[in-house]
Amino acid sequence: MKLQAPDEKDRKMADTDMELPQLYLVTPPELELSLFPDQLARVLDAHDTACLRLSLATKDEDRIMRAADTCREVAHARDVPIVIAEHALMVERLGLDGVHLGDGARRVRKTRDDLGNDAIVGAFCNASRHDGMTAGEAGADYVSFGPAGSTGLGDGTQAEADLFDWWSKMIEVPVVAEGALTEDIIRTLTPFTDFFAIGEEIWRTDDPSATLARLLGAMTR
């Protein structure tokens, strides 16, 4: 399975006939394996999803492997590819579909060589146009920019709308918007991005599926 930007015939259309981005779902950094699989299944059943990213805060290999096995079963049962954040060496061993690298273009070429052409290799490039172009040239299937919204994390750098606007006009590599997404930001970036990566925005609420529906609804309002 490959993560691909939706083409015109596959995308839902808004009232303006504008092609809409797809959902790229991200797991919470901490998850309870006795509860999360059912929660994940409900979200995937309710919302068309292009990809799932396993993105855990823990460095405990056993916990990561158990979470990967569980989430893979839920995702693959619904034909949703699953990638893991950072841990490229686990991709083949755990039967995952690829990896999401968080350090720009640095490891893209080697990871592509190691995993082959069939694996998904994505690169988070913060707000760096240069890193994004370099990652694309090195073989990334997509480039992710963020945070798109305001957050107290990191150094305060934010991926502004003009970056996504420029990318959508100049670069063919699919682009993902992520980080502190709100309805207003989603509404603004809808014309310029191929995917919205949504995770903690929904998992920290009482009803993740309903919250996700509200966020995605901003694309057409």
Side-chain angles (χ1 to χ4, degrees), residues 90-164:
M90 291 187 175
V91 171
E92 294 183 354
R93 181 167 26 140
L94 299 178
L96 306 179
D97 299 290
V99 65
H100 174 85
L101 303 173
D103 55 356
R106 291 188 184 95
R107 291 179 287 156
V108 172
R109 193 176 304 279
K110 182 180 186 306
T111 301
R112 171 61 69 203
D113 290 342
D114 290 344
L115 296 182
N117 291 329
D118 292 336
I120 298 169
V121 177
F124 175 73
C125 296
N126 199 199
S128 173
R129 182 183 302 185
H130 177 267
D131 280 358
M133 290 189 293
T134 303
E137 292 168 356
D141 291 294
Y142 68 84
V143 165
S144 172
F145 292 121
S150 178
T151 173
L153 302 176
D155 62 2
T157 300
Q158 190 170 328
E160 304 287 351
D162 59 356
L163 170 61
F164 292 95

Side-chain angles (χ1 to χ4, degrees), residues 30-40 42 66-67 70-71:
E30 301 285 346
L31 53 86
E32 175 54 62
L33 286 180
S34 64
L35 301 173
F36 185 70
D38 288 339
Q39 192 178 46
L40 175 62
R42 287 194 295 271
R66 287 189 288 113
T70 301
C71 292

Side-chain angles (χ1 to χ4, degrees), residues 66-95:
R66 287 189 288 113
D69 285 340
T70 301
C71 292
R72 184 196 64 243
E73 290 180 6
V74 175
H76 282 182
R78 292 157 178 81
D79 293 324
V80 175
I82 176 173
V83 301
I84 188 169
E86 305 302 342
H87 304 294
L89 294 178
M90 291 187 175
V91 171
E92 294 183 354
R93 181 167 26 140
L94 299 178

Side-chain angles (χ1 to χ4, degrees), residues 126-214:
N126 199 199
S128 173
R129 182 183 302 185
H130 177 267
D131 280 358
M133 290 189 293
T134 303
E137 292 168 356
D141 291 294
Y142 68 84
V143 165
S144 172
F145 292 121
S150 178
T151 173
L153 302 176
D155 62 2
T157 300
Q158 190 170 328
E160 304 287 351
D162 59 356
L163 170 61
F164 292 95
D165 185 13
W166 176 86
W167 189 275
S168 69
K169 293 173 180 175
M170 303 299 295
I171 309 296
E172 293 184 1
V173 177
V175 63
V176 180
E178 66 175 282
L181 295 172
T182 64
E183 290 178 67
D184 286 343
I185 293 171
I186 286 174
R187 190 177 298 113
T188 297
L189 295 183
T190 288
F192 312 130
T193 190
D194 297 297
F195 303 92
F196 284 112
I198 298 176
E200 289 196 83
E201 294 92 341
I202 67 168
W203 300 121
R204 59 176 176 248
T205 68
D206 292 334
D207 190 340
S209 187
T211 303
L212 181 55
R214 185 173 66 253

Side-chain angles (χ1 to χ4, degrees), residues 45-85:
D45 287 341
H47 303 279
D48 290 337
T49 304
C51 188
L52 173 67
R53 183 197 305 166
L54 181 65
S55 184
L56 301 180
T58 181
K59 302 299 183 184
D60 185 289
E61 184 174 350
D62 182 64
R63 291 178 63 187
I64 294 172
M65 291 176 66
R66 287 189 288 113
D69 285 340
T70 301
C71 292
R72 184 196 64 243
E73 290 180 6
V74 175
H76 282 182
R78 292 157 178 81
D79 293 324
V80 175
I82 176 173
V83 301
I84 188 169

